[in-house]
Each structure stands twice: as C-alpha cells, then as structure tokens.
Amino acid sequence: LEKHLKQTLGYKMDEIVLLQQENTYKYIVMLETLSSKFISWCSVVKANTDEDKKTVQRELQEYIREHPTQTLDLTVIWAHYDMKKIYSKTFAYNRKLTSITLPPTITVIEESAFSHCTGLTSILIPDGVTTIEDGAFYMCLALKYITLSNSLVALGTRSFAHCRVVEAITIPHSVKTMGTYVFGQCVSLKTIAL
C-alpha cells in the first residue's frame, strides 16, 4: 500500500502513517517543499470532483487544528489536487499561523477563508486570483503587509476589515467591484493607491 501511494502521488515522501478510522484509511503524508515540510491529512488519493477537493481541505483544516503550525506552503498539495479555490473557512481561526504561501493555481479565495487568523502578518495574493470573497481576511489583526493580485476583479464585503495594523494598500486597476467596508476598522491605514 505504501508503494502504491508513493507511485500514485508521484512525490518522494519522508513518512506515511496509515490510520484505520470508521472503516476508511486515512494517511498522513509529509511532502518536501521548496523551503519547508508540508503536512496533509487526506482520505482520498485523487480528488476529481469539487466535493472531493472540499473534503481534502476540510481534513487539512482538521489536521492543522490538531497539529498547529506557524508556516504553511500550500503549493505542492494544491497543484497535486488541481485545486483552484481556497474554500470557505478552510483556515479560519488558525491563530498560530503567521505565514502562508498561496499556490499560483488558485483563482478564488472564498468567504472567511482566513478570518480570525490573528497571527498572520503578511499575505501575497497570487496573480491568478480574480475574486476575494466576503470576510476572507476579516479580523486578521496582525496583518500588516497585503499584496493584491494584478488580475483581481472583485473584493468582497469586509474582505480585509479589522486588519488593524496595515498602513498602506494598492488596489489594482483590474478591480471592477468592491463590497462595503472592505477596509473597515483598518485604523492604521493611511495610504490607498489606486
């Protein structure tokens, strides 16, 4: 089974641990990334449907809650599962997370995806992202540096509200729609470049 998983996933693995839970096999996979080890907890080998991809992200969220980490690089696992979105509330309330590398494959960051990540200090939104939905980074109290995608079209309501230490933001020319209170209660915000 370990050999099968290695061949199917196509990555060199440092460790595979199999757990039998409720008649399903889950496995913890440690993958080598560019600068760190990324840990994922999955119950499916391939995620072909949107629902499968949501399942992978829900289980990743569960694993992170049980094993808090300060840094995450999502590039490898998102590319492997060909995921184009970060689904609603996937990383919400992860207060220990300080740094995250978003994969270049994503186009949408859904509602409240990173809300209440109070330790997150910076975010670089990849250029493929066209939509940041409502409250995506709401109450990220330590978020000081925000770089938006150059192809961003829509910013949802309160998408960066209560990011209290951000001082400057550049809104790309590509943005067509903005919800209300996008930067509400960003009390340190002094400069908005359009």
Side-chain angles (χ1 to χ4, degrees), residues 59-113:
E59 293 192 355
L60 172 59
Q61 179 187 47
E62 183 180 336
Y63 186 86
I64 289 170
R65 282 184 179 160
E66 292 176 7
H67 304 85
T69 182
Q70 289 187 312
T71 61
L72 276 179
D73 185 336
L74 301 178
T75 309
V76 173
I77 200 74
W78 254 246
H80 176 71
Y81 288 109
D82 191 31
M83 290 193 271
K84 305 296 183 192
K85 299 178 181 180
I86 295 180
Y87 292 102
S88 177
K89 300 179 182 173
T90 297
F91 298 100
Y93 292 92
N94 188 335
R95 293 186 172 97
K96 292 189 180 290
L97 187 63
T98 60
S99 173
I100 190 160
T101 302
L102 298 180
T105 55
I106 62 169
T107 59
V108 177
I109 300 173
E110 288 193 351
E111 179 180 356
S112 303

Side-chain angles (χ1 to χ4, degrees), residues 36-56:
S36 63
K37 288 182 180 179
F38 177 90
I39 301 175
S40 174
W41 188 25
C42 303
S43 62
V44 287
V45 175
K46 291 288 182 185
N48 296 320
T49 68
D50 200 47
E51 196 55 43
D52 289 342
K53 292 172 186 182
K54 285 182 182 178
T55 298
V56 169

